[in-house]
Amino acid sequence: MANKKTYHIIGAGVAGLYTAKLLKKKHPRSRVIVYESAEKIGGRCMENFSQSLDCRTDNATHVVLNCNALTRNLIGQDKFVHKIRFWDLEKNAFVPVWRCLKESRLAVFNTPTPDWRAKLFLYRKLFPFLGLRAYFSAGTLGKDLYLPLVHYADELRLGWVWKGIHAQQDYLSELIFNRGKVTLTPDDVVVSAIDSYAYNRLFGGYDFAYQAIDNFFFRTSMALTLPSAAKMLGLIKAQGQWLFCSPDYAAVTISHVTEKFDERAIWQEICTLRHYNSAFMPRFDRRHFPRATISQDADNNRKRPSSAQTFYKNLFICGDWTMKNQPCCIETALQSARRVCRFL
Ligand SMILES: Cc1cc2nc3c(=O)[nH]c(=O)nc-3n(C[C@H](O)[C@H](O)[C@H](O)COP(=O)(O)OP(=O)(O)OC[C@H]3O[C@@H](n4cnc5c(N)ncnc54)[C@H](O)[C@@H]3O)c2cc1C
């Protein structure tokens, strides 16, 4: 029989939006409503217009490896064109990927001490990655990834902050938002796709430690050229960890930030590897994310949920942080959406 349920998805990051797509495809006659506290969709992948650079950028430059099948299928194989190469700034020369396992680990898990299960996960992916390609975003995540997903929602309510619930025994009966209450019928299903910090503030029980990531964007009048025409470099013995060059700007990412970095020193590193003097300082934008991802170490991994189900029979959870043993990234956010839909 056709399904006529209403699905209330809260959080319009990639996990929430992909859930909307999967549910609508599985149950075309159902009603899917997406609620989002911000005035824009995308969550941590959100695109922005940078006033200081005068162009569009993503919240942060995102890298996806070719072996991340769900993301690759959404973004399109043809966008995975960048070879992953590492550059040693002290030698000012390329170094082989296998000598940069520590740096790769730090970039993927955003912590120097990932849980052993997380490490295993990376090594399973890393060996194929030696010959594989990657995608990195350059103000493109909306177009490439999440904007096409939003059309699957029957209704999108922006500026709706989820503040609480009313329950009758083990069923949610009402959702409380800043803009009013939503009464649930016995058939309605709620999917929480909010981040771990917000979820913990609502329900408790997931008090994680977080890791920061810094992003620096430099706008130059011409696209920068890198050695061997590379567009993406992992940096060794440098303050910056990843350098990305797109037509509009160069971007540098630093994971596991524990100190304040100086944009001039980061720009100097780019000039050093290009064998140029840093005679001028281009326009720049710096973004600091104090809670970029939960710390993906053994302690936090243990605290992550092992299922999409919750105490409430009509409440399910998804989002990158809900996938135990896996890195917090776009791919796991999408996987978590797929897991939720298997229950529904
Ligand atoms: C600086 C940085 C760099 C990153 N680099 C990479 C990378 O290179 N590669 C990669 O794959 N991943 C990367 N990530 C991680 C990636 O962005 C996340 O894993 C992914 O976006 C998580 O999606 P999500 O939908 O699970 O959560 P989110 O994107 O956090 O979505 C949650 C949504 O819920 C909303 N919300 C929160 N509270 C409420 C509430 N009370 N009511 C209503 N709505 C609410 C939020 O506004 C948000 O839109 C990076 C993240 C950051 C911050």
Side-chain angles (χ1 to χ4, degrees):
M1 219 177 82
N3 186 327
K4 289 190 180 172
K5 283 176 192 292
T6 298
Y7 293 103
H8 302 267
I9 301 170
I10 309 171
V14 284
L17 294 172
Y18 192 53
T19 307
K21 172 175 177 171
L22 295 181
L23 285 176
K24 199 65 191 176
K25 286 188 100 168
K26 192 167 170 187
H27 308 293
R29 299 193 57 199
S30 67
R31 185 167 162 69
V32 175
I33 307 176
V34 177
Y35 305 83
E36 166 57 47
S37 57
E39 292 300 335
K40 280 168 74 181
I41 61 170
R44 274 169 280 164
C45 289
M46 189 190 287
E47 258 181 46
N48 282 310
F49 184 80
S50 163
Q51 298 292 348
S52 34
L53 300 183
D54 192 27
C55 67
R56 296 198 76 74
T57 64
D58 297 299
N59 238 347
T61 304
H62 278 64
V63 179
V64 184
L65 302 180
N66 202 1
C67 49
N68 290 329
L70 290 177
T71 322
R72 186 191 60 217
N73 290 343
L74 287 178
I75 288 180
Q77 175 71 62
D78 56 323
K79 309 248 174 62
F80 286 73
V81 292
H82 302 291
K83 193 156 179 228
I84 299 168
R85 306 185 69 182
F86 288 86
W87 182 269
D88 185 321
L89 210 75
E90 260 176 36
K91 294 185 186 141
N92 230 7
F94 283 110
V95 279
V97 175
W98 56 266
R99 283 181 50 193
C100 310
L101 296 184
K102 200 175 100 215
E103 287 75 12
S104 318
R105 235 171 29 214
L106 188 64
V108 175
F109 300 111
N110 190 19
T111 170
T113 53
D115 185 25
W116 67 268
R117 279 161 292 225
K119 274 192 231 164
L120 197 69
F121 173 91
L122 175 67
Y123 294 137
R124 271 199 359 249
K125 302 234 163 195
L126 196 72
F127 290 105
F129 129 29
L130 293 179
L132 288 182
R133 305 267 161 168
Y135 161 93
F136 71 80
S137 66
T140 48
L141 272 182
K143 176 169 68 64
D144 287 350
L145 180 67
Y146 64 79
L147 287 175
L149 302 176
V150 77
H151 306 295
Y152 291 91
D154 295 295
E155 207 181 315
L156 175 63
R157 299 187 181 175
L158 295 175
W160 281 59
V161 185
W162 189 18
K163 296 232 171 229
I165 53 161
H166 282 141
Q168 278 163 11
Q169 289 164 348
D170 48 8
Y171 270 90
L172 297 188
S173 54
E174 208 167 48
L175 299 173
I176 304 164
F177 290 91
N178 60 336
R179 305 241 173 130
K181 292 179 181 165
V182 174
T183 304
L184 304 172
T185 69
D187 267 352
D188 286 1
V189 173
V190 179
V191 178
S192 163
I194 65 178
D195 52 274
S196 53
Y197 185 74
Y199 192 89
N200 186 49
R201 282 175 51 169
L202 269 176
F203 293 102
Y206 291 107
D207 198 3
F208 293 112
Y210 289 87
Q211 299 286 7
I213 297 184
D214 269 3
N215 266 252
F216 295 87
F217 299 91
F218 299 97
R219 178 107 203 233
T220 48
S221 48
M222 281 192 307
L224 294 187
T225 47
L226 297 181
S228 293
K231 298 282 179 222
M232 166 183 176
L233 284 179
L235 303 177
I236 310 298
K237 297 187 191 130
Q239 292 189 23
Q241 283 167 357
W242 289 95
L243 168 62
F244 309 94
C245 281
S246 56
D248 282 338
Y249 53 81
V252 171
T253 300
I254 307 174
S255 304
H256 185 65
V257 171
T258 51
E259 58 185 289
K260 195 171 187 307
F261 291 96
D262 174 26
E263 44 284 331
R264 282 180 171 72
I266 305 284
W267 175 244
Q268 169 75 61
E269 289 183 347
I270 300 177
C271 294
T272 303
L273 74 85
R274 298 181 69 239
H275 302 286
Y276 274 98
N277 288 329
S278 42
F280 74 105
M281 183 70 196
R283 284 191 278 176
F284 67 88
D285 201 351
R286 177 207 166 109
R287 312 235 177 97
H288 176 69
F289 298 85
R291 284 189 299 272
T293 65
I294 62 168
S295 183
Q296 295 165 88
D297 52 28
D299 233 25
N300 266 337
N301 194 31
R302 225 171 287 123
K303 292 186 198 163
R304 291 165 85 174
S306 8
S307 162
Q309 286 173 306
T310 68
F311 170 76
Y312 301 105
K313 289 183 175 147
N314 55 347
L315 172 66
F316 297 83
I317 49 173
C318 66
D320 60 353
W321 63 280
T322 65
M323 300 297 283
K324 214 184 185 83
N325 302 334
Q326 307 220 18
C328 288
C329 62
I330 296 175
E331 181 72 6
T332 41
L334 298 175
Q335 282 177 4
S336 73
R338 201 168 60 169
R339 182 175 69 176
V340 144
C341 294
R342 284 204 205 106
F343 280 107
L344 303 177

